[in-house]
Amino acid sequence: MTDSAAVPEDQVSPKTAAALRAAMTRLLDGRPQRTDGRLTKENLYKEAQVSRATMNRAHAILAEWDAHLATHGKATPGEAKRDATIADLKKRLTKKTQECTLLENKLKAAHTAIAALFHDNEALRQQLNKDVSTTVTPIRPRGPRQRR
C-alpha cells in the first residue's frame, strides 16, 4: 500500500510535464503567452495547452503549484507591483490631504485676522471723520542746512 502523505508520481508524458512546468514558470514570472496571467489552475492548463484532465494527472506539478501559491499568494508580479503602487499613492494622498487641511486652517485664520484689521481700520476712519477739531498739519520739509 502507498503512503497517503507522499505525492503520487505524475501520470503524464515527459513532454506534457515539461509543457506544464514551462507554463507554470511563465505564469509565476508574470509572462503569460496564452492567458490573462491570473494564477489559477485553469490558466495553468490553458497556458500549457493541455486538457484539464491531463493537468489533473500531473500530481507532482500540481503539488508544486499549490505549495507556491500557499507560500507566495495568488498575486502575480504585476498585481503585486500594482498593489504596492496603490499603497504608495494612498499614503501620498493622505499626506497631501493633511497638508491641505493645515493650509485651509491657516487660510481661515488669516481671513479672520484680515477681517478684524479691516473692521479696526474702518472704525479708526470713522472716528477720524467724526472728530472735526482734529487737524493734521503736515511737516514741511526743511531746506538744506547751511553751514556757518
Side-chain angles (χ1 to χ4, degrees), residues 47-104:
E47 190 73 27
Q49 292 185 306
V50 298
S51 70
R52 183 171 188 94
T54 301
M55 177 196 68
N56 287 338
R57 289 193 307 269
H59 303 290
I61 294 172
L62 290 178
E64 288 177 35
W65 176 264
D66 292 337
H68 180 83
L69 293 185
T71 305
H72 298 96
K74 287 190 173 189
T76 64
E79 290 170 335
K81 183 178 178 183
R82 178 202 64 204
D83 293 346
T85 301
I86 288 172
D88 178 56
L89 289 172
K90 282 182 177 180
K91 186 168 49 169
R92 289 173 50 197
L93 178 62
T94 300
K95 182 179 177 185
K96 292 297 180 187
T97 302
Q98 290 171 346
E99 289 175 12
C100 286
T101 301
L102 178 65
L103 290 173
E104 187 176 340

Side-chain angles (χ1 to χ4, degrees), residues 7-61:
V7 176
E9 291 186 25
D10 289 335
Q11 298 171 353
V12 294
S13 69
K15 181 180 174 184
T16 301
L20 282 165
R21 287 193 189 285
M24 182 167 57
T25 301
R26 284 195 307 274
L27 286 171
L28 295 178
D29 290 346
R31 305 178 285 105
Q33 294 176 350
R34 297 172 182 90
T35 62
D36 61 6
R38 289 179 298 125
L39 300 181
T40 63
K41 287 183 181 176
E42 180 180 2
N43 280 350
L44 178 61
Y45 74 79
K46 286 180 179 178
E47 190 73 27
Q49 292 185 306
V50 298
S51 70
R52 183 171 188 94
T54 301
M55 177 196 68
N56 287 338
R57 289 193 307 269
H59 303 290
I61 294 172

